[in-house]
Structure formats: C-alpha cells, structure tokens
Amino acid sequence: MSFANLIRVAIMAILNNKIRTLLSMLGIIIGVAAVIIMMSIGQGSKMSIRQELSKMGTNLIIIRPGADMHGGVRQDPSAMQTLKVADYESIKNEAKLIRNVSPEVTSSGQVIYGANNTTTTVYGETPEYLDVKLWTLEDGDCFTPEDIKKSAKVCLVGRTIVEELFGDKNADCIGKTIRFKSIPLRIIGVLKSKGFNNWGMDQDNVIIAPYTTVMKRIAAQNYLSTINVSALSEEQSDACIDELKTILSRNHKIKEGMPEDFTIRSQQEMMETMSTTMDTITIILVVAAAFSLLVAGIGIMNIMLVSVTERTKEIGLRMSVGARGRDISRQFLVEAIMISLTGGLLGVIVGIGGATAASSMGLPCSVPLWSVVLSFTVCALIGLIFGFIPARKAARMDPIEAIRYE
Amino acid sequence: MKDNKRVVIELQDVRRNFKVGSEVVHALRGISFKIYEGEFVTIMGTSGSGKSTLLNQLGCLDTPTSGEYYLDGTPVRKMKRSERAVLRNRKIGFVFQNYNLLPKTTAVENVELPLMYNTKYNAKQRREAAVKALQAVGLGERLEHKSNQMSGGQMQRVAIARALVNDPAVILADEATGNLDTRTSFEMLVLFQRLHKEGRTIIFVTHNPEIAQYSSRNIMLRDGKIREDQINENIQSAAEALAALPAPQDD
Ligand SMILES: Nc1ncnc2c1ncn2[C@@H]1O[C@H](COP(=O)(O)OP(=O)(O)OP(=O)(O)O)[C@@H](O)[C@H]1O
Ligand SMILES: [Mg+2]
C-alpha cells in the first residue's frame, strides 16, 4: 500500500475511535509536556543564574578558610580560622594581578532603630568591597581608610534595612544611629537596590561596616571569614588565583604537596559548578518525565493490541484481497506512530503553554528548541517500538481464521 | 469440446490433513479436476464434506498437504505467504457469505480495497475501476453509501463488485446467498449468470441443491472426495425463475 493510503487508513481508524485514542494519547501528552517544562525550567534557571553571577562581577575571586570541601568531610572549627588580616595585607601589598581586595568578617543578628527591628547580616569590609561586588551608593558616602583604622562605628545600609527600620525605603536616614547587637552604628550611606537573587535571597537586606569594627566590636574574632578579590580582568583570573595561592601558602607555611588550609574559587568556576549542578538536576527531572513517556508507550501498545484483536475480521479481509503480512504490519505501525506523534504535538503545545505560564508566574523558563525536536523524535520512536508487537501480531494472523472471527 | 479453452484451475490429487491433537483429520482426500475459463461451477456436499477447505485451497489462502495446484498455470503449493497474497490480489475475487465489508466505509472505498494493494493503480485509476465494477452490479447510483446504510442484497452486490474490480482469473463464492432471502438470492444468481455470460470463471460453493440448475457444471463432494462431477447441458435461467416468483407481499 502506498504511504499516502497508509496515512489515510490510519487517520480513519483513529477517527473511528476518538475517545479511546485520545485517552491513550493523554499519557504521551502529559509526558512530553512534562519533559518540555522540565527542560525549559532547567534551561531558564541556568541562564538566569549565569546572569546573576556575572552581575556580581565575572572577575571576582573568593578566598575562604579551610580546605576544599570536596566529599563533605567535616572540618575542625580551627580550620575555619586560618585567614588572617596579615593575609589580606600581604595580598594587598604583593599581588600584581589584582584590581581590588577586601577582607570580610560577617555577623548575623538583630538590628534595632527605635521600636523597629529586623534580622540581618553585617558585612565587615574595606571601601574596595563596593567595587569588588559591584555595589553603588545612592546616598551619602562610603567609609574611609581612616574609619577602618579607628574601627569607626559607621555603616552603609541596603534599602530593605531602611524600609524595615524607618518604615519607608526612601526615608532619609543618613546620620541616624542604629544598633546592631547593642553596638551603635551611624548610617553614612545607602546602597542602590539589587533586588532578589536567584535563590530568592533579598540582596538589599545588608549592612556594610568597616571590617575592623565588625571584627573588634561586634564579632570579637581575630580571623577573617572571606577575602574577596577582583582580578585585573576575567582572562587573568586563573593567573591571579596562582598568585594568591603562592602568597597564602607562603604566609601559612604550606610546602609543595601539603594540603592547603584555604580555598580559592573564581566566579568563573562557580558559574561552571552551578551550570553542571543545574544540568544534573535537569537531567534527573527529564529522566523522571521520560519514564512517564515509557508508561505512555505501554499504554499505546495496549490500545493497539485491543485494536488488532477487534479488527481481526478486517485483517482477514485485507489479507484475502491481497494484503501481505508487511502491508498489515505497516498499517498498524503507522497508526501507532500517528497516535504518538499527535500526542507529541499536543504535548509540545501544552508544554510550551505550561512553560509560558510558569515564566509569567516568575519562574525562569526558556523552551530550548532541541527539546521540541527531541520530543518528536522520542514520540516517533515510541510509536515504532510499542507499535511493533501489535503490528507483528496482526501480520502473523492466519487469513482463514481471521476472516471467520466474530 | 473444451480442448480449445484455457485451463484456469488444475488440481492434481490434492490432499489436506489437519492435525487435531493426536488425530489427523483428512479434510481433502485426493481431489483432481480442471476448471476451464468461462465455467460456472457449483460445489456441493454435506456439512463437513470439505467444501470450504477446498475453496481455501483454490483461493490460495491455504496450501495442500500433498498434490499440486496450478492457478492460471502458476504452481501454488510451494509459494510463500507473501507470494500467495500477491497472487490472490491479481487472480482471485472472493465473495463471502457475510459480505465482509469494511464498517463505516463507502461502497466505492470498499470496492477499491483490493487495488490499494496493487501499486500499479493510482488513486484515479482505482476509483474508475471501482465505479465500473459497481455499475456492473447495478449499484452505479450508490457509490457513496456507507456499508451500514445498505440492505443485505446491496452489501453482497458491493462484495461482488469488490471481487470483480481486479479483473480476476476466477471468482470464488462461499455460500454467497446463504444469508439472503429467496428473492434476493435469485437476484444474486441472475447477477452471477450475467457475469458467466460475459465470460467470467465462477466457483460457487453452496448447500442448496437447486442452485446447481443455474450453473454450467456441478461437483459433489463427500468425505473429502469427489463423488460426482457433471456438466449441466440444460442451464436454467435465474432471471425467469425470479420473474416467476410470487410478487413480494406487503402485510
Ligand atoms: N482448521 C481446521 N482444523 C482442523 N480441522 C479442520 C479445519 N478446517 C476444517 N477441518 C475439518 O475438515 C473437514 C471439512 O471441513 P470444511 O469446513 O471444509 O467443511 P464444509 O464442507 O465447508 O462444511 P460446511 O458445509 O458446514 O461449511 C471437517 O471435518 C472439519 O472439521
Ligand atoms: Mg464451509
């Protein structure tokens, strides 16, 4: 039978059993839609994480205390106290490939102004921090090296802090004194809003103070939690990391081959780690969705087997007027593929619709074209694979018995 | 008298055994005959005498356990399934007792069916051949009627048109009038006689001994053997018999 006729016969057979076919298609529709939505969310999140991270500066390098946490081995608390102010000073004085460097000491807790209070984190930094992390000041001025020297009780605040403590995020708060863990801090500047990041964290819920102030007056510790560095350029960030390693290893008296007691990560690396993590999550989700396609394929096989049995007489008739086994098997294969491809088409439509709805609800979503192509290919394969057994059953029927079948 | 006629069917000592459990059923026990082009042969016999089994052999739906079968000169016994399918498609037209039309399908589409499996026909030629065959059975006005909108007689006419459409070497009918009332049965016989006059070769299996008067030759089977093979020198006219039937009564 010619291809056009095969398609026509398949369409007729499908139209003769609309409801039943639609129900067995439903599995494919849901499966394909799920695959596409998962892939879209995966792709969308990856893209927005990348954007987010590059907003933080693509030449950012972060030094943390303690060995690389690969394998998640728990580390001695003392291992987390290895970064000292001396390290910061060495880097500042010796490193040639850095543009800026800022030590960091953080402390979380309650901040109070009058009757208002909120929970936040105070970041102890140097003025360079604003450049390293791409912050801009909207109001007032940054603290000075002089303030650092004197451990001055001054700070910069994010818009969320302004809103929480003064009732309005545009309130004039310069010169007001707030209290963090009972230490009074005078507001000298307000940071321009950055909004929420990808993990839903409010980046404006932040207070920045001189690191000496946080270290001595608030946290009472003699070590740093982080050193943030910006490399001269993105291309030089690897060379910069090497330079930083050399300086820190010398300071910490770490010889060749010994494990380091600090970890240096570039933004670049973090982006890649993020990407691979997102890829892994996406793959897991897609595989889960793909299993629903497998189940849908079994559903199609089931409906095709029923259809073959129901149409035994028709098969017998077709054989007696000259259909060969392969004509019959092709007829049922084409029918199975048509069902799964139609289901796939509807699934793609539902999937794109779902992804659009999700992105209008704020989820990062972007439908990759190849997910559509992949879905169609998979659907055609499902029809072929799961149509095979029913088609073979039909083709092997004995015409004499088939035509007598009631 | 038949020496100048072409042999369409030749059976040489055809046997067909069926294994049922440990027993062997001998459905055909050595059948030999020749059927010539243009013959209208009725095959009769009691139930279980092997008529359907014989017809399945003739229709290439089955192959003999032993013996030879030549259809239009082609030996069938050693053919593969798919080769026999093609042979059926080109040389045989089947008419079944219960019509076997495709459901929800129009008359013309039903008749086109055999040509669907012949790539030599394109859509246009297929349609033309189907329309011609339907006109030949008197259904030229009902091309687009669906199978479930027709009477039994009309359905059987469609089935006969389907058997004619590929211009077969032989038309095989198994109890083709078995489901029809007397009047409609005679109408079918009239049609078969007309096809016979036009030169078609017809083999007609039936229980009804009366039908033998309207064919040109009658073969009687008993227990898988030929008991009688007679030429009918005095063929009755089914058209006259139909005219003589009492008019249909409306009550
Ligand atoms: N597939 C089969 N398997 C086993 N035995 C069979 C098979 N087909 C036919 N037979 C046997 O072969 C014999 C002939 O059967 P067949 O159907 O040819 O009879 P028939 O003359 O057509 O009868 P009827 O007039 O009732 O249709 C019967 O004894 C039947 O039981
Ligand atoms: Mg029979």
Side-chain angles (χ1 to χ4, degrees):
Chain A
M1 219 196 278
S2 74
F3 190 63
N5 283 331
L6 279 172
I7 301 259
R8 247 177 32 134
V9 171
I11 291 174
M12 291 282 291
I14 289 171
L15 290 182
N16 277 343
N17 268 310
K18 287 189 206 78
I19 306 242
R20 195 171 75 183
T21 313
L22 195 70
L23 284 177
S24 60
M25 255 181 211
L26 211 54
I28 294 278
I29 296 175
I30 293 169
V32 167
V35 167
I36 288 189
I37 291 174
M38 292 308 164
M39 283 182 173
S40 305
I41 291 176
Q43 175 89 351
S45 314
K46 211 163 103 177
M47 274 163 46
S48 76
I49 286 172
R50 273 187 168 273
Q51 261 172 18
E52 202 67 50
L53 287 177
S54 62
K55 251 191 266 164
M56 287 160 78
T58 47
N59 48 1
L60 176 67
I61 294 169
I62 296 167
I63 308 172
R64 289 189 192 283
D68 209 344
M69 286 292 277
H70 279 315
V73 183
R74 245 182 100 188
Q75 299 195 19
D76 193 317
S78 70
M80 302 312 285
Q81 306 180 1
T82 53
L83 286 183
K84 307 287 182 192
V85 177
D87 293 325
Y88 155 65
E89 275 159 358
S90 303
I91 291 169
K92 188 179 176 173
N93 297 333
E94 297 170 35
K96 301 207 165 43
L97 298 172
I98 65 167
R99 194 171 75 195
N100 269 317
V101 56
S102 172
E104 182 172 293
V105 184
T106 58
S107 174
S108 294
Q110 211 178 41
V111 57
I112 304 170
Y113 179 78
N116 297 335
N117 70 75
T118 184
T119 307
T120 188
T121 303
V122 172
Y123 289 79
E125 308 282 352
T126 60
E128 286 79 12
Y129 181 70
L130 298 191
D131 175 68
V132 172
K133 281 285 180 86
L134 307 181
W135 279 107
T136 26
L137 270 178
E138 217 163 34
D139 258 331
D141 296 298
C142 190
F143 43 83
T144 59
E146 190 66 19
D147 291 327
I148 303 250
K149 223 176 266 169
K150 293 191 301 198
S151 311
K153 292 181 254 182
V154 294
C155 69
L156 313 173
V157 290
R159 281 291 171 197
T160 302
I161 299 289
V162 178
E163 186 177 9
E164 292 290 328
L165 296 186
F166 300 93
D168 173 12
K169 70 179 173 153
N170 294 317
D172 177 27
C173 56
I174 305 283
K176 304 264 165 62
T177 300
I178 55 177
R179 283 176 176 274
F180 182 85
K181 287 187 177 171
S182 78
I183 309 296
L185 296 169
R186 188 164 49 85
I187 298 175
I188 57 168
V190 180
L191 297 161
K192 189 171 177 220
S193 172
K194 274 190 177 182
F196 286 82
N197 74 5
N198 250 64
W199 303 278
M201 219 170 82
D202 180 6
Q203 299 177 93
D204 297 325
N205 184 5
V206 63
I207 298 176
I208 300 174
Y211 78 93
T212 46
T213 312
V214 178
M215 219 168 158
K216 289 177 198 155
R217 300 187 195 273
I218 298 173
Q221 65 183 47
N222 62 353
Y223 54 90
L224 302 172
S225 36
T226 306
I227 300 174
N228 294 306
V229 178
S230 60
L232 274 178
S233 71
E234 202 180 312
E235 292 73 44
Q236 279 164 298
S237 78
D238 281 345
C240 185
I241 287 175
D242 288 340
E243 192 179 36
L244 296 172
K245 264 186 192 157
T246 315
I247 295 168
L248 289 178
S249 298
R250 185 205 62 210
N251 278 12
H252 295 191
K253 302 191 169 61
I254 290 167
K255 300 210 179 65
E256 278 282 322
M258 272 167 62
E260 289 156 355
D261 60 359
F262 55 88
T263 309
I264 306 180
R265 279 281 172 81
S266 67
Q267 189 74 326
Q268 215 54 26
E269 245 182 288
M270 279 173 55
M271 268 206 226
E272 271 146 37
T273 319
M274 269 313 164
S275 280
T276 42
T277 313
M278 277 315 299
D279 281 345
T280 314
I281 294 171
T282 307
I283 287 169
I284 291 169
L285 290 176
V286 168
V287 165
F291 267 100
S292 72
L293 277 181
L294 185 76
V295 175
I298 295 169
I300 286 185
M301 177 157 75
N302 187 33
I303 219 69
M304 289 307 296
L305 282 172
V306 171
S307 175
V308 165
T309 309
E310 272 183 4
R311 283 148 71 189
T312 300
K313 213 174 170 70
E314 175 193 327
I315 294 166
L317 171 70
R318 286 179 183 276
M319 284 178 161
S320 64
V321 301
R324 293 163 298 177
R326 81 175 89 121
D327 292 314
I328 299 293
S329 67
R330 265 184 216 153
Q331 178 187 332
F332 283 94
L333 268 185
V334 167
E335 193 178 321
I337 292 173
M338 289 261 295
I339 292 176
S340 61
L341 273 188
T342 312
L345 182 70
L346 295 177
V348 166
I349 293 170
V350 173
I352 291 178
T356 314
S359 73
S360 73
M361 276 165 15
L363 264 170
C365 248
S366 146
V367 181
L369 180 69
W370 59 269
S371 75
V372 175
V373 176
L374 184 79
S375 303
F376 269 114
T377 320
V378 168
C379 282
L381 278 177
I382 284 177
L384 197 66
I385 293 167
F386 292 98
F388 179 76
I389 291 177
R392 197 183 53 175
K393 183 183 167 198
R396 286 187 177 174
M397 280 185 181
D398 174 30
I400 299 171
E401 281 175 17
I403 203 148
R404 263 203 226 127
Y405 183 88
E406 286 305 329
Chain B
M1 143 191 175
K2 277 169 183 158
D3 296 341
N4 51 350
K5 285 259 184 180
R6 196 156 63 98
V7 176
V8 177
I9 280 175
E10 180 172 3
L11 295 187
Q12 295 174 353
D13 196 27
V14 164
R15 289 166 195 274
R16 182 67 169 98
N17 302 335
F18 294 104
K19 270 217 181 81
V20 181
S22 56
E23 282 182 47
V24 177
V25 178
H26 301 276
L28 299 177
R29 308 172 182 244
I31 305 266
S32 304
F33 58 69
K34 286 181 185 172
I35 289 173
Y36 297 87
E37 188 172 26
E39 278 195 295
F40 180 3
V41 182
T42 41
I43 296 179
M44 302 213 287
T46 52
S47 190
S49 56
K51 303 182 299 291
S52 296
T53 308
L54 178 59
L55 206 71
N56 289 339
Q57 300 292 328
L58 299 178
C60 306
L61 289 167
D62 195 11
T63 49
T65 310
S66 72
E68 281 302 338
Y69 168 31
Y70 298 95
L71 171 60
D72 218 11
T74 319
V76 176
R77 188 164 72 90
K78 294 224 176 87
M79 277 190 158
K80 285 187 287 189
R81 245 169 82 95
S82 61
E83 290 171 329
R84 281 188 279 125
V86 175
L87 198 64
R88 284 198 294 276
N89 187 248
R90 307 295 146 86
K91 303 230 179 248
I92 289 174
F94 281 104
V95 181
F96 304 94
Q97 178 171 0
N98 44 13
Y99 332 123
N100 277 318
L101 300 185
L102 291 177
K104 301 182 194 171
T105 309
T106 63
V108 71
E109 282 171 336
N110 265 292
V111 176
E112 281 185 36
L113 188 66
L115 304 182
M116 291 271 207
Y117 297 102
N118 186 345
T119 46
K120 288 198 195 89
Y121 283 81
N122 64 30
K124 192 162 159 274
Q125 294 167 323
R126 215 161 50 216
R127 171 111 191 157
E128 277 168 7
V131 170
K132 219 178 101 199
L134 278 165
Q135 282 164 349
V137 299
L139 285 180
E141 309 295 309
R142 297 182 189 271
L143 302 178
E144 303 299 336
H145 283 222
K146 297 233 164 125
S147 37
N148 45 337
Q149 302 166 337
M150 286 187 276
S151 70
Q154 287 167 338
M155 285 200 273
Q156 197 59 302
R157 279 173 197 272
V158 174
I160 293 170
R162 184 179 61 197
L164 286 173
V165 75
N166 57 342
D167 193 19
V170 58
I171 296 171
L172 302 176
D174 195 352
E175 300 281 9
T177 57
N179 280 8
L180 301 171
D181 60 29
T182 317
R183 173 166 283 275
T184 320
S185 296
F186 273 104
E187 284 171 9
M188 288 306 129
L189 279 176
V190 172
L191 179 53
F192 275 107
Q193 280 197 330
R194 212 185 71 220
L195 295 173
H196 177 217
K197 273 211 194 80
E198 289 167 7
R200 300 265 174 201
T201 313
I202 302 164
I203 300 177
F204 195 109
V205 166
T206 179
H207 267 113
N208 185 350
E210 276 181 47
I211 292 177
Q213 327 168 45
Y214 304 102
S215 70
S216 68
R217 179 178 169 189
N218 185 40
I219 295 177
M220 286 282 282
L221 289 186
R222 185 196 279 165
D223 286 339
K225 281 192 214 142
I226 295 181
R227 205 193 62 164
E228 214 180 271
D229 184 349
Q230 271 190 329
I231 304 288
N232 181 5
E233 304 288 0
N234 183 21
I235 303 173
Q236 302 290 305
S237 162
E240 281 171 21
L242 178 63
L245 279 180
Q249 312 228 303
D250 295 324
D251 42 13

